[in-house]
C-alpha cells in the first residue's frame, strides 16, 4: 500500500486550487498550533496551586478582543477573494471551448462529443484544448467530478449545468459521481483519458474507442438535422420567419423577446426549455398560444434534444463556440443504430401517436389566440423520406440574415 | 406558574431523608412516565438519546468495518446505503439535535437561573413523548427494511426514485421536530420569565445565553425543515410536482429549504456545547470567563448569521455565481464569532487556577478539535476549494470534527460536569480522564485521515472505492475502534457510579453557579428557598484568600462552601459580608 497525499494534477485549475489549499492548510496549522500551545502553556503554568504571579487578572480587554476578531475577519475575507477568482473561471468557459455533452443516469455517465462519438463512463480528451461540459441528468441528481482536474458540477434533471477544463497532462484519471444517486452510486464512474494531440487525432480517426468498426460517425449536428426533419420541425421553422414560426437560422445566443416582454438569450438552456415546454417560451409577435407540441422526456431523450440544439447552433448565431463538425449534409443513409445507446430510435415522437393522423401544424394554419385547442397538438410523424413542405434547412447553411422581428399574429415559439 | 404544576405540591422541604430528592421521591414507573418534573424528563431524554447514540454508533462501526476493504466484505450496496442513512438520521435528528438541550439543558436551566421548573412542564413532557414517537417511527422504518436516501433526503431521489421506507422515516423526523420546537419555546419563556430575583440578563451563566440562542434558532428553523420533509412525503404519496422536475418541480428548491434549516441545525448542535465549555473552563480555571459579553453576543451573532449561509452547501449545484459569492463571504463572517469564543476561552485560563478534572479535559479537547473543525470549514466556504472538496470525505471529516469533536465532546464534558448533580454520585475520575484521552486519540485517528482521502478525491457515501485510498480508510477504521472504546468506558463507569459511586456532595467542583447551591441530587422543587442573586456569573475572583486557600489545599469544593456560606449571609440581609455586585 502506498500513502498518497495529493491527487494528480492534470488541468489548468489544479495548481491554482492546490496553492489555495496550501494557504488554507498553513492558516489551519498556524492557528491550531497557537491554540494548542496556549492551552498547554496556560494549563501548565497556571495549574492549580502553582506559585506564579496571578496579580491583576483581567476579565475583558476590548482592544485585545477586537484584535482577535478583526485579524481573522481580514484573513478570512482575503481567502474569500483568493478563492472566488478561480471559481468565476471554473464556471465561465472561454469562448473557444469545444463542447462535450454529458448525461448522468443511474448508474453511468454517457458522454457525447460534438463529432458524434459516444462513450460510456469514459471520456477521451486531448491536452491543451479547453472543453466545456454541458451536463444534465435523466433521473436523479448526479455529480460529475474529476479530482485530477479539481472540477465538479452537479448534473441535475431538467436543466443544463456547465463546467470547463483544459487538461495539461496525459494520463488516466478517475471520474466519480459525487451526488448520492442510489444503490450503485459508488460504481457510477469511470475514467477520463487525457491524450496527446497526436494520440487524440488517432483516436478520433478510429471513431472512438467503441467505434472501431464504424467507417464513420455522424456528428451531433448531423443527428440533430435528421431529427429536425423527422420531427417535421422544418415544416414551420424555415429559413425565414413565417406566420407560423420564427426561423431558427442565426438565433443562437442572440436576444429573443418573449411575450411577457422579457428579453432572454437563446442559449442552450432556453432552447432546451423551448423544446420541452414551448408554452412557457412564447415569443412576442406570435400570439398567446403555440401550436408547437411539447416534447417531453418520453418523446425525446436528453441526447436528442441536445443534438437539436447543436444543430440549431450550427445554423449560426452569436458568440457561441463554433460547431467544429458542422459540415455539409451527409448523403449517407441514415442509420438509427447509433441511437441505440440511449435505448430508443431516433425517429420516436409521441409513442401513442406514432404515424397517426393527428392534426398537423403543417396543414392547418393555426389562428393563434383564437385556437387554444391547437396548443399541444402533435405534428405528424414525418417518416424519413416524406417530402417536406417547408424549406429544408441545410446544416451547413451559415446564413447571416438576422431574423427580423415577426409581426404576424400566429402562435409559435423559439 | 410552575410551582402549581409540581407534583409534590405540598411536600415540605424537610420531608425526611427518604423523599428528599427528585430521584427517590417515587419509584413507580407511572411517576416517571407521567412526571412533569424537568429533572426527571431530562433523565428520560438521557436514556432515550443514549439508546439512539448506541444504535447510530453501531451503524457507524458497521460502515467503518466495511470500508476497510475497497471491495466491501460484509454487506451489499443496498445495506451499506441503509447503514449510512441510519447512522446519519439517528445521530443528527435523534441524538445531536436533542442531546444537550433536552438532557443537560432540561436539567440545569431551571437550576442555573433559580427556577423551580421550566415554564411549561406539561409541554416539556409532551416533547419527550413526541421525540419518542418520532424515534420509534424512524426505528420502525429501519427495522422494516430501512431507508437509503442519506440523512439529507435529496430530491428527486427521495421523493420519486427511492423505494425504501422514506415516508415513515420522514414522518418520524417531522414529529420529532415538534419536540425540538416545544423544548425551544419552553427555554425561551423560562429564561425570560423565571429567573430568580437578582438574576439579570448579564448575570446569566453563558450556558443560558447559548441555550437561549439555540432555542431561537430551533423555533425559527425547525418549522422549515418540517414543511420541507412533509412536502417530500406529499410528493411521494400524491405525486404532486414539487421537487420532481418531470412534473414541473424543482429539485434544487429542496436543497435550499433543507439547508435553510440544516445549516442552522449545525449551530443548534454546537452552540449548547459552546455554552458548556464556557461553564467548565470558568469553573476549572477558577476565573470569570474572559470577555463575558463578547461570548454572550457571539452566541447571538452565530444564531443570526447561521441563518444566512445555507447556500454554501450548493456551490456546485449551479446556483448563480453571484449568489455563491454572497454565501461564501457570509460564511467567512460567521466564522469570526466562533474564533472569538476560542480565543476568549483560552484567555480565561490565563492567571487562573487550572484544575485538570475529567470535564476540563473534555473541554480542552473540545477547544482543540473545534478549532480544527472550524478552520477546515473555511476550506469549504472557499468557493474554488469547495468545488474540489464538496461531497468528498473532506466534508465528512470536517463535520465530524464539529459534530463529534465539538458537539459530542461538549456533551460528554457537560455530562461529566453535572453528573454529580444529576445523580448525587461521583464517577471514578481516573477512568474518566483515561476515557477522555482515549476518545481524543481515537477521534483524531478516525477523522484526520479522512481529510487527506477527501482531498485525494474520495467521494462520500461510497461503498466501493479505488484501492489507492485503502490505507487511509484502514487508519480511519482503526481510529474508530479506539474511539468506540473511549465511548464505551464512560457507559460502564456511569452505570457503576449509580450504585457504587461515592457520594458527591452538593458542590464537588467548588463551582459558583446556582445549580451547585442546592443539594445533589436536587430536591423535587430544586431549591428549598429561592435564591436571591447579588453577584455576577463566575464570581470566582471574589473568593477571599482563605477561601481560595481552602479550595486549593483541602478537599475540592471547600472554598466554594465557605463562599456559599457568605452568599447565604448576603441573602439573609448582610450584604456587606457578601459580594458586591459588579466587583
Amino acid at each position: 500500500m502506498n500513502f498518497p497525499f495529493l491527487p494528480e494534477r492534470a488541468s489548468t485549475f489544479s495548481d491554482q486550487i492546490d496553492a489555495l489549499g496550501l494557504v488554507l492548510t498553513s492558516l489551519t496549522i498556524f492557528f491550531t498550533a497557537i491554540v494548542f500551545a496556549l492551552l498547554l502553556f496556560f494549563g501548565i503554568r497556571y495549574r492549580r496551586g502553582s506559585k506564579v504571579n496571578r496579580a491583576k487578572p483581567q476579565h475583558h480587554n476590548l482592544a485585545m478582543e477586537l484584535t482577535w476578531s478583526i485579524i481573522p475577519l481580514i484573513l478570512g475575507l482575503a481567502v474569500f477573494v483568493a478563492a472566488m477568482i478561480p471559481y468565476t473561471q471554473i464556471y465561465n468557459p472561454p469562448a473557444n471551448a469545444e463542447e462535450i455533452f454529458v448525461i448522468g443516469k443511474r448508474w453511468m455517465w454517457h458522454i457525447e462529443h460534438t463529432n458524434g462519438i459516444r462513450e460510456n463512463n469514459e471520456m477521451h480528451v486531448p491536452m491543451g484544448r479547453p472543453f466545456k461540459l454541458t451536463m444534465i441528468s435523466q433521473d436523479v441528481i448526479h455529480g460529475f467530478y474529476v479530482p485530477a482536474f479539481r472540477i465538479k458540477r452537479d448534473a441535475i434533471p431538467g436543466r443544463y449545468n456547465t463546467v470547463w477544463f483544459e487538461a495539461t497532462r496525459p494520463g488516466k484519471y478517475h471520474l466519480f459521481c459525487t451526488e448520492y444517486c442510489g444503490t450503485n452510486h459508488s460504481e457510477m464512474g469511470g475514467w477520463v483519458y487525457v491524450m496527446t494531440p497526436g494520440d487524440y487525432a488517432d483516436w478520433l480517426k478510429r471513431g472512438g474507442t467503441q467505434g472501431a468498426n464504424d467507417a464513420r460517425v455522424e456528428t451531433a449536428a448531423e443527428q440533430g438535422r435528421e431529427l429536425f426533419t423527422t420531427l417535421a420541425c422544418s415544416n414551420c421553422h424555415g429559413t425565414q420567419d413565417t406566420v407560423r414560426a420564427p426561423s431558427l437560422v442565426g438565433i443562437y445566443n442572440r436576444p429573443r423577446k418573449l411575450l411577457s416582454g422579457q428579453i432572454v438569450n437563446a442559449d442552450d438552456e432556453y432552447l432546451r426549455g423551448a423544446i420541452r415546454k414551448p408554452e412557457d417560451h412564447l415569443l412576442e409577435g406570435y400570439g398567446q398560444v403555440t401550436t408547437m407540441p411539447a416534447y417531453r422526456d418520453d418523446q425525446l431523450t436528453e441526447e436528442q434534444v441536445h443534438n437539436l440544439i447543436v444543430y440549431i447552433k450550427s445554423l449560426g448565431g452569436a458568440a457561441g463556440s463554433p460547431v467544429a463538425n458542422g459540415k455539409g449534409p451527409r448523403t449517407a443513409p441514415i442509420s438509427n443504430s447509433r441511437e441505440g445507446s440511449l435505448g430508443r430510435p431516433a425517429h420516436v415522437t409521441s409513442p401513442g401517436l406514432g404515424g397517426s393522423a393527428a392534426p398537423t401544424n403543417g396543414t392547418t394554419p393555426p389562428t393563434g389566440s383564437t385556437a387554444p385547442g391547437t396548443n399541444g397538438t402533435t405534428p405528424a410523424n414525418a417518416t424519413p423520406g416524406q417530402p417536406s413542405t417547408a424549406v429544408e434547412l441545410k446544416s451547413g447553411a451559415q446564413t447571416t440574415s438576422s431574423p427580423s422581428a415577426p409581426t404576424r399574429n400566429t402562435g409559435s415559439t423559439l | 406558574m410552575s410551582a402549581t404544576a409540581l407534583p409534590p405540591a405540598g411536600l415540605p422541604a424537610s420531608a425526611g431523608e427518604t423523599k428528599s430528592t427528585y430521584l427517590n421521591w417515587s419509584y413507580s414507573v407511572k411517576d416517571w412516565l407521567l412526571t412533569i418534573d424537568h429533572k426527571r424528563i431530562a433523565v428520560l431524554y438521557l436514556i432515550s438519546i443514549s439508546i439512539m447514540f448506541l444504535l447510530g454508533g453501531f451503524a457507524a462501526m458497521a460502515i467503518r468495518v466495511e470500508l476497510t476493504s475497497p471491495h466491501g466484505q460484509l454487506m451489499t450496496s443496498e445495506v451499506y446505503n441503509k447503514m449510512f442513512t441510519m447512522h446519519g438520521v439517528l445521530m443528527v435528528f435523534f441524538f445531536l439535535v436533542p442531546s444537550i438541550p433536552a438532557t443537560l439543558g432540561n436539567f440545569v436551566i431551571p437550576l442555573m437561573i433559580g427556577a423551580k421548573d421550566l415554564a411549561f412542564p406539561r409541554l416539556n413532557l409532551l416533547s419527550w413523548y413526541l421525540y419518542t414517537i418520532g424515534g420509534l417511527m424512524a426505528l420502525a422504518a429501519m427495522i422494516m427494511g430501512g431507508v437509503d436516501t442519506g440523512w439529507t433526503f435529496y430530491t428527486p431521489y427521495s421523493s420519486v426514485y427511492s423505494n425504501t421506507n422514506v415516508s415513515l422515516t420522514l414522518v418520524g423526523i417531522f414529529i420529532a421536530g415538534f419536540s425540538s420546537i416545544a423544548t425551544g419555546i419552553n427555554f425561551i419563556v423560562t429564561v425570560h420569565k423565571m429567573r430568580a430575583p437578582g438574576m439579570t440578563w448579564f448575570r446569566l451563566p453563558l450556558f443560558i445565553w447559548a441555550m437561549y440562542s439555540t432555542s431561537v434558532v430551533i423555533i425559527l428553523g425547525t418549522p422549515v425543515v418540517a414543511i420541507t420533509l412533509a412536502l417530500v412525503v406529499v410528493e411521494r404519496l400524491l405525486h404532486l410536482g414539487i421537487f420532481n422536475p418531470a412534473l414541473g418541480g424543482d429539485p434544487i428548491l429542496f436543497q435550499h429549504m433543507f439547508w435553510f434549516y440544516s445549516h442552522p441545525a449545525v449551530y443548534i448542535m454546537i452552540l449548547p456545547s459552546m455554552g458548556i465549555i464556557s461553564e467548565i473552563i470558568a469553573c476549572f480555571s477558577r476565573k470569570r470567563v474572559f470577555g463575558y459579553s463578547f461570548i454572550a453576543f457571539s452566541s447571538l451573532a452565530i444564531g443570526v448569521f447561521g441563518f444566512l449561509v445555507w447556500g454554501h452547501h450548493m456551490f456546485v449545484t449551479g446556483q448563480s455565481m453571484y449568489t455563491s459569492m454572497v454565501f461564501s463571504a457570509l460564511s467567512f463572517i460567521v466564522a469570526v464569532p466562533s474564533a472569538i469564543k476560542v480565543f476568549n476561552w483560552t484567555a480565561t485560563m490565563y492567571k487562573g487556577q487550572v484544575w485538570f478534572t475529567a470535564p476540563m479535559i473534555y473541554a480542552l479537547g473540545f477547544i482543540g478539535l473545534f478549532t480544527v473543525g472550524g478552520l477546515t470549514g473555511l476550506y469549504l466556504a472557499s468557493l474554488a476549494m469547495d468545488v474540489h472538496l464538496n461531497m468528498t470525505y473532506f466534508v465528512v471529516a470536517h463535520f465530524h470534527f464539529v459534530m463529534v469533536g465539538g458537539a459530542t465532546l461538549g456533551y460528554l464534558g457537560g455530562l461529566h460536569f453535572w453528573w454529580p448533580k444529576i445523580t448525587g454520585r461521583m464517577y471514578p475520575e481516573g477512568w474518566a480522564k483515561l476515557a477522555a484521552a482515549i476518545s481524543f486519540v481515537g477521534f483524531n485517528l478516525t477523522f484526520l485521515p479522512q481529510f487527506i482521502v477527501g482531498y485525494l478525491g474520495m467521494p462520500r457515501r461510497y461503498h466501493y472505492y479505488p484501492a489507492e485510498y485503502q490505507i487511509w480508510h484502514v487508519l480511519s477504521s482503526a481510529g474508530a475502534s479506539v474511539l468506540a472504546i473511549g465511548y464505551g468506558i464512560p457507559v460502564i463507569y456511569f452505570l457503576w457510579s449509580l450504585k457504587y459511586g461515592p457520594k458527591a456532595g452538593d458542590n464537588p467542583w467548588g463551582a459558583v453557579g446556582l445549580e451547585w447551591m442546592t443539594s445533589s441530587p436536587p430536591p423535587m422543587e430544586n431549591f428549598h428557598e429561592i435564591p436571591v442573586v447579588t453577584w455576577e456569573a463566575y464570581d470566582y475572583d471574589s473568593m477571599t484568600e482563605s477561601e481560595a486557600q481552602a479550595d486549593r489545599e483541602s478537599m475540592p469544593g471547600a472554598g466554594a462552601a465557605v463562599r456559599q456560606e457568605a452568599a447565604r449571609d448576603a441573602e439573609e440581609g448582610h450584604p456587606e459580608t457578601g459580594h458586591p455586585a459588579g466587583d
Side-chain angles (χ1 to χ4, degrees):
Chain A
M1 277 190 256
N2 51 355
F3 282 83
F5 272 97
L6 284 176
E8 293 160 299
R9 293 174 210 176
S11 88
T12 49
F13 296 125
S14 305
D15 289 343
Q16 251 177 312
I17 305 295
D18 281 358
L20 195 60
L22 193 63
V23 170
L24 281 160
T25 307
S26 310
L27 284 176
T28 301
I29 291 173
F30 177 71
F31 279 105
T32 308
I34 286 186
V35 169
F36 271 82
L38 286 177
L39 289 179
L40 209 62
F41 176 71
F42 290 160
I44 292 170
R45 181 171 168 83
Y46 297 107
R47 69 190 180 278
R48 207 154 69 114
S50 69
K51 302 272 181 258
V52 289
N53 177 20
R54 289 187 175 85
K56 296 187 196 159
Q58 278 190 310
H59 300 300
H60 52 86
N61 182 330
L62 190 64
M64 203 185 271
E65 288 176 273
L66 285 178
T67 307
W68 66 52
S69 309
I70 291 170
I71 289 179
L73 182 66
I74 292 172
L75 284 174
L77 291 179
V79 175
F80 160 70
V81 173
M84 180 186 77
I85 292 164
Y87 183 78
T88 59
Q89 294 165 357
I90 291 170
Y91 292 141
N92 282 314
N96 65 341
E98 296 165 59
E99 273 204 78
I100 293 177
F101 186 56
V102 177
I103 297 177
K105 53 183 173 175
R106 300 198 299 161
W107 288 277
M108 60 176 286
W109 290 105
H110 180 74
I111 312 283
E112 188 191 3
H113 298 262
T114 39
N115 57 20
I117 292 179
R118 290 183 179 80
E119 306 179 72
N120 287 330
N121 296 325
E122 285 185 0
M123 186 170 80
H124 289 74
V125 287
M127 56 187 278
R129 274 155 62 182
F131 280 88
K132 169 189 168 189
L133 304 178
T134 299
M135 53 184 71
I136 197 164
S137 164
Q138 271 186 207
D139 37 51
V140 302
I141 300 175
H142 301 283
F144 187 96
Y145 178 37
V146 184
F149 291 174
R150 311 286 190 275
I151 58 158
K152 179 182 294 125
R153 193 57 143 178
D154 281 359
I156 294 170
R159 70 172 70 161
Y160 289 141
N161 258 342
T162 58
V163 67
W164 77 280
F165 63 88
E166 182 181 325
T168 53
R169 185 177 300 179
K172 179 184 174 189
Y173 306 106
H174 284 296
L175 163 62
F176 292 127
C177 172
T178 48
E179 198 66 74
Y180 176 69
C181 55
T183 307
N184 297 327
H185 166 57
S186 68
E187 292 158 86
M188 177 168 169
W191 299 97
V192 173
Y193 294 88
V194 176
M195 312 166 92
T196 60
D199 287 349
Y200 184 68
D202 289 345
W203 182 81
L204 282 185
K205 210 174 290 173
R206 288 199 309 272
T209 313
Q210 307 164 345
N213 299 324
D214 278 20
R216 125 122 213 113
V217 178
E218 287 188 302
T219 68
E222 285 164 0
Q223 292 167 36
R225 188 183 64 83
E226 281 160 20
L227 265 176
F228 201 78
T229 311
T230 48
L231 295 173
C233 308
S234 47
N235 285 3
C236 299
H237 297 288
T239 50
Q240 299 291 325
D241 292 334
T242 67
V243 289
R244 282 192 232 111
S247 166
L248 304 182
V249 174
I251 66 158
Y252 184 78
N253 239 355
R254 287 234 165 81
R256 310 290 280 168
K257 193 167 186 192
L258 299 185
L259 194 61
S260 61
Q262 198 187 354
I263 294 179
V264 295
N265 219 24
D267 56 6
D268 292 357
E269 186 70 44
Y270 169 82
L271 292 173
R272 180 181 175 278
I275 294 169
R276 290 290 195 208
K277 293 187 93 180
E279 66 275 16
D280 288 352
H281 297 74
L282 296 177
L283 277 187
E284 193 188 45
Y286 287 91
Q288 301 287 334
V289 295
T290 175
T291 52
M292 179 169 159
Y295 292 91
R296 289 190 302 273
D297 55 4
D298 52 353
Q299 292 158 305
L300 280 183
T301 63
E302 289 298 345
E303 191 183 20
Q304 289 171 318
V305 172
H306 184 257
N307 286 343
L308 281 170
I309 294 171
V310 175
Y311 170 63
I312 293 168
K313 196 177 189 176
S314 75
L315 301 176
S321 45
V323 178
N325 292 282
K327 304 186 198 79
R330 309 298 301 187
T331 50
I334 296 160
S335 159
N336 289 326
S337 61
R338 296 232 136 247
E339 300 296 332
S341 63
L342 278 178
R344 48 175 79 238
H347 56 270
V348 155
T349 55
S350 167
L353 291 167
S356 75
T360 62
N361 50 3
T363 56
T364 316
T367 49
S369 55
T370 61
T374 57
N375 190 4
T377 51
T378 316
N381 183 10
T383 51
Q386 176 179 331
S388 170
T389 54
V391 181
E392 184 161 30
L393 295 169
K394 302 286 179 250
S395 71
Q398 297 290 339
T399 316
T400 51
S401 65
S402 61
S404 56
T407 53
R408 290 146 296 232
N409 185 23
T410 310
S412 185
T413 189
L414 280 171
Chain B
M1 67 176 112
S2 68
T4 57
L6 283 168
L11 188 73
S14 56
E17 276 302 305
T18 50
K19 289 197 174 186
S20 61
T21 77
Y22 82 100
L23 284 173
N24 67 13
W25 178 73
S26 148
Y27 293 99
S28 77
V29 173
K30 173 171 163 285
D31 283 344
W32 273 95
L33 292 183
L34 295 179
T35 183
I36 49 177
D37 175 56
H38 68 100
K39 301 180 288 300
R40 286 194 161 200
I41 294 169
V43 171
L44 292 177
Y45 260 120
L46 178 62
I47 295 165
S48 315
I49 69 164
S50 299
I51 293 169
M52 289 302 197
F53 181 75
L54 287 177
L55 292 173
F58 164 76
M61 288 315 293
I63 293 167
R64 283 316 327 167
V65 169
E66 182 72 359
L67 288 178
T68 53
S69 157
H71 316 295
Q73 43 201 5
L74 294 178
M75 48 184 101
T76 62
S77 290
E78 280 96 342
V79 176
Y80 179 82
N81 296 342
K82 286 170 181 174
M83 276 296 165
F84 72 66
T85 305
M86 175 176 166
H87 172 66
V89 167
L90 292 184
M91 287 301 199
V92 171
F93 295 109
F94 295 101
F95 172 70
L96 284 167
V97 167
S99 62
I100 295 174
T103 55
L104 299 174
N106 227 335
F107 196 97
V108 301
I109 285 178
L111 291 169
M112 280 179 133
I113 65 171
K116 290 188 169 182
D117 204 315
L118 289 172
F120 307 117
R122 288 183 180 80
L123 184 65
N124 198 19
L125 181 64
L126 176 68
S127 91
W128 180 73
Y129 275 100
L130 289 172
Y131 171 84
T132 305
I133 293 168
L136 288 175
M137 288 177 80
L139 287 179
M142 286 160 194
I143 291 165
M144 286 157 44
V147 198
D148 73 341
T149 58
W151 76 275
T152 48
F153 298 100
Y154 269 19
T155 54
Y157 183 71
S158 64
S159 64
V160 181
Y161 288 85
S162 176
N163 51 7
T164 54
N165 296 324
V166 179
S167 298
L168 186 58
T169 310
L170 289 178
V171 172
I173 295 170
F174 181 84
I175 292 173
F178 283 95
S179 111
S180 283
I181 296 170
T183 303
I185 290 173
N186 224 337
F187 287 177
I188 289 174
V189 177
T190 304
V191 172
H192 271 279
K193 305 300 290 183
M194 300 188 63
R195 284 169 284 128
M199 180 60 93
T200 62
W201 281 90
F202 289 95
R203 285 176 178 170
L204 286 174
L206 288 165
F207 180 68
I208 303 294
W209 275 99
M211 287 307 311
Y212 185 82
S213 306
T214 307
S215 303
V216 172
V217 177
I218 285 176
I219 65 168
L220 291 179
T222 313
V224 178
V225 78
I227 292 163
T228 311
L229 299 182
L231 286 175
V232 173
V233 176
V234 165
E235 181 161 294
R236 279 186 76 83
L237 300 182
L238 306 179
H239 306 290
L240 296 183
I242 301 164
F243 304 122
N244 179 8
L247 299 175
D250 183 355
I252 301 299
L253 176 66
F254 173 86
Q255 295 182 21
H256 279 291
M257 293 169 76
F258 181 81
W259 289 115
F260 182 81
Y261 163 81
S262 293
H263 193 78
V266 173
Y267 300 112
I268 294 177
M269 303 172 208
I270 196 73
L271 272 172
S273 272
M274 292 172 161
I276 287 177
I277 300 311
S278 298
E279 298 301 314
I280 294 177
I281 294 285
C283 173
F284 297 111
S285 300
R286 288 290 183 269
K287 215 161 144 279
R288 182 178 305 161
V289 167
F290 188 86
Y292 173 97
S293 50
F294 260 67
I295 292 195
F297 283 112
S298 70
S299 285
L300 293 181
I302 288 173
V304 172
F305 280 104
F307 271 108
L308 304 175
V309 298
W310 78 89
H312 69 210
H313 294 266
M314 301 166 61
F315 289 158
V316 302
T317 57
Q319 75 182 359
S320 146
M321 201 172 71
Y322 302 102
T323 310
S324 294
M325 287 178 193
V326 173
F327 279 123
S328 170
L330 285 167
S331 305
F332 278 98
I333 291 171
V334 81
V336 172
S338 303
I340 292 173
K341 283 179 191 263
V342 167
F343 288 125
N344 280 20
W345 290 322
T346 309
T348 303
M349 291 167 68
Y350 178 64
K351 294 194 174 180
Q353 299 274 359
V354 180
W355 181 11
F356 288 101
T357 59
M360 185 65 169
I361 289 172
Y362 276 109
L364 294 176
F366 171 98
I367 297 176
L369 298 182
F370 176 73
T371 302
V372 177
L375 285 164
T376 51
L378 297 184
Y379 288 69
L380 302 170
S382 305
L383 287 164
M385 201 71 233
D386 183 68
V387 172
H388 176 49
L389 296 177
N390 192 293
M391 302 305 283
T392 66
Y393 262 73
F394 194 94
V395 177
V396 177
H398 158 68
F399 71 68
H400 279 89
F401 260 80
V402 178
M403 297 290 93
V404 184
T408 308
L409 223 54
Y411 168 71
L412 287 173
L415 201 57
H416 283 83
F417 186 51
W418 283 306
W419 187 261
K421 182 54 65 183
I422 295 170
T423 64
R425 303 277 184 167
M426 277 307 290
Y427 47 83
E429 270 259 38
W431 281 102
K433 289 179 190 173
L434 180 69
I438 291 175
S439 297
F440 186 82
V441 172
F443 174 84
N444 280 300
L445 185 55
T446 309
F447 293 107
L448 283 177
Q450 295 186 6
F451 282 122
I452 298 168
V453 81
Y455 197 91
L456 283 170
M458 165 89 194
R460 64 192 288 201
R461 297 173 174 170
Y462 260 33
H463 182 208
Y464 305 124
Y465 58 87
E468 66 253 38
Y469 301 149
Q470 184 177 10
I471 182 67
W472 301 113
H473 279 295
V474 170
L475 284 175
S476 182
S477 296
S481 329
V482 178
L483 188 57
I485 295 169
Y487 285 156
I489 297 173
V491 175
I492 296 168
Y493 64 65
F494 276 144
L495 291 175
W496 175 88
S497 77
L498 290 177
K499 193 163 165 61
Y500 305 105
K503 290 255 192 279
D506 292 352
N507 190 359
W509 311 123
V512 296
L514 286 185
E515 77 269 31
W516 301 104
M517 294 192 176
T518 187
S519 51
S520 301
M524 205 64 172
E525 69 276 25
N526 288 354
F527 297 95
H528 297 302
E529 46 195 290
I530 293 294
V532 177
V533 182
T534 58
W535 58 92
E536 305 300 299
Y538 315 114
D539 192 17
Y540 290 99
D541 303 309
S542 57
M543 282 181 176
T544 63
E545 191 48 45
S546 62
E547 288 166 5
Q549 191 74 15
D551 183 60
R552 277 197 301 276
E553 288 174 2
S554 66
M555 56 187 204
V562 177
R563 192 200 154 284
Q564 215 167 307
E565 279 305 312
R568 290 216 177 103
D569 289 346
E571 286 163 36
E572 285 156 19
H574 309 288
E576 67 279 4
T577 61
H579 305 273
D583 59 347

